[in-house]
Amino acid sequence: YETRKQSVIFVDRDGDGYRALSAVCQHLGCRVHWDDGAQQFKCPCHGGIYDREGRVVAGPPPRPLERLNVRVNPKTSDLEVEL
């Protein structure tokens, strides 16, 4: 048996490195989307809004978006995100 987990994440430049954020809203687990015009992550379920770094800007989320460890593989130059 093989178990696979499907996850949606956002990866963004952060200075010389990268920032990876989970797309799961910290309120009730809905999937947030990036609103390019507003430069914010928005949750369609209950109006949660996060800034580019995942911090809560408005709405009911009790905490920021989960930040995930990300690194560049030195051998392949691939981005690797720890889920």
Side-chain angles (χ1 to χ4, degrees), residues 8-42:
V8 175
I9 60 168
F10 294 97
V11 178
D12 191 16
R13 280 269 190 202
D14 188 16
D16 292 337
Y18 295 90
R19 172 179 41 250
L21 299 170
S22 169
V24 176
C25 180
Q26 293 296 313
H27 178 232
L28 293 177
C30 298
R31 184 180 293 174
V32 301
H33 68 274
W34 176 251
D35 182 328
D36 199 42
Q39 294 288 295
Q40 296 174 324
F41 295 102
K42 294 185 176 181

Side-chain angles (χ1 to χ4, degrees), residues 4-83:
R4 290 184 178 223
K5 179 181 177 184
Q6 190 173 25
S7 299
V8 175
I9 60 168
F10 294 97
V11 178
D12 191 16
R13 280 269 190 202
D14 188 16
D16 292 337
Y18 295 90
R19 172 179 41 250
L21 299 170
S22 169
V24 176
C25 180
Q26 293 296 313
H27 178 232
L28 293 177
C30 298
R31 184 180 293 174
V32 301
H33 68 274
W34 176 251
D35 182 328
D36 199 42
Q39 294 288 295
Q40 296 174 324
F41 295 102
K42 294 185 176 181
C43 180
C45 299
H46 300 104
I49 300 174
Y50 301 87
D51 68 11
R52 189 175 187 147
E53 293 186 20
R55 296 177 294 222
V56 178
V57 174
R63 59 190 171 279
L65 292 173
E66 181 182 1
R67 192 165 185 154
L68 306 167
N69 292 325
V70 61
R71 72 181 188 105
V72 178
N73 182 315
K75 294 180 181 177
T76 64
S77 297
D78 291 337
L79 288 179
E80 297 176 347
V81 179
E82 187 177 319
L83 299 175

